[in-house]
Amino acid sequence: MKEMIMAIRRGDKGTPKRKDLAQRDIMLFLFGINTGLRVSDIIKLKVADVKGRRQMQVQEGKTRKKRLVNILNIQRELDDYISGRDSQDYLFPSQKGKGPVTATQVYRMLQDAGQWIGRDDIGTHTMRKTFGYHFYKQTKDVAMLQDIFNHSAPSITKRYIGITQDEIDETLKGFRLG
């Protein structure tokens, strides 16, 4: 994670980013890996959606389902990031115009950072999958993660985050009741 944050901060082709852009991109990455939201849902958010909140409600664009998202774990960073901003501003504004950053811009930013650290498998879904993988590793609760992701079956969730049967078997090694 630290390596990715450094890569995001450093900018395209090694040229340092403007401080405000680096701050926006790092916050977007932190927001993505800590909420598990799709990029398409993240970029629509406004400052008012997170300001002074521990949780926020999002209607996911793909599933149209409402989801309550806990943002307490990144509240301090969010408060610093939105300090002095108007409630109606986009949380992650574009450099161009008054709209939000686009999913394509986020993809390019993540791709550039990934290439800088020698990874060619990083894209916009990486943040969501990272959230899912680490949530599962910490909790081992695939049913809860399935619910968070609005997947129809646990097998879909496990495949999505890259959990294999070998990893499940390894986790159960030495597990015994009675």
Side-chain angles (χ1 to χ4, degrees):
M1 299 297 164
K2 289 180 184 178
E3 196 177 34
M4 188 66 177
I5 290 170
M6 281 180 26
I8 291 169
R9 180 178 287 122
R10 69 136 183 85
D12 186 26
K13 296 171 184 58
T15 307
K17 280 185 188 173
R18 287 189 345 238
K19 186 178 179 181
D20 60 321
L21 290 180
Q23 185 183 30
R24 178 200 67 187
D25 293 350
I26 290 166
M27 189 68 238
L28 193 150
F29 178 72
L30 288 173
F31 195 89
I33 64 173
N34 281 285
T35 63
L37 288 172
R38 290 177 184 87
V39 167
S40 58
D41 294 323
I42 293 171
I43 62 176
K44 295 176 193 170
L45 296 172
K46 299 226 175 168
V47 170
D49 295 324
V50 299
K51 192 173 193 174
R53 298 176 186 233
R54 294 173 173 222
Q55 296 178 327
M56 58 180 221
Q57 188 165 10
V58 176
Q59 182 170 0
E60 294 182 326
K62 184 175 179 182
T63 62
R64 309 302 310 158
K65 293 180 181 176
K66 289 187 178 179
R67 177 176 158 205
L68 201 56
V69 179
N70 184 333
I71 54 174
L72 186 59
N73 54 348
I74 54 170
Q75 192 64 56
R76 186 174 40 89
E77 292 92 340
L78 273 172
D79 288 345
D80 289 344
Y81 174 71
I82 63 173
S83 178
R85 296 186 188 206
D86 187 79
S87 292
Q88 291 309 305
D89 289 347
Y90 281 101
L91 189 57
F92 303 108
S94 174
Q95 297 182 74
K96 303 169 186 169
K98 301 251 185 236
V101 66
T102 66
T104 301
Q105 288 171 298
V106 175
Y107 174 78
R108 286 184 190 136
M109 177 268 294
L110 293 171
Q111 280 276 293
D112 288 343
Q115 287 176 356
W116 196 72
I117 62 171
R119 302 278 306 261
D120 63 357
D121 58 346
I122 295 184
T124 55
H125 253 41
T126 303
M127 296 183 295
R128 184 171 163 87
K129 288 181 177 188
T130 298
F131 167 85
Y133 180 81
H134 288 283
F135 179 89
Y136 177 78
K137 284 294 195 180
Q138 286 182 25
T139 67
K140 303 292 188 239
D141 192 343
V142 75
M144 180 69 71
L145 187 56
Q146 174 191 343
D147 191 44
I148 290 169
F149 280 167
N150 284 318
H151 287 163
S152 58
S155 59
I156 293 169
T157 302
K158 286 189 277 187
R159 187 172 60 241
Y160 183 79
I161 62 172
I163 299 298
T164 64
Q165 188 60 49
D166 290 343
E167 288 175 282
I168 293 168
D169 292 345
E170 184 64 30
T171 300
L172 294 173
K173 196 183 273 184
F175 178 80
R176 181 178 181 275
L177 298 174

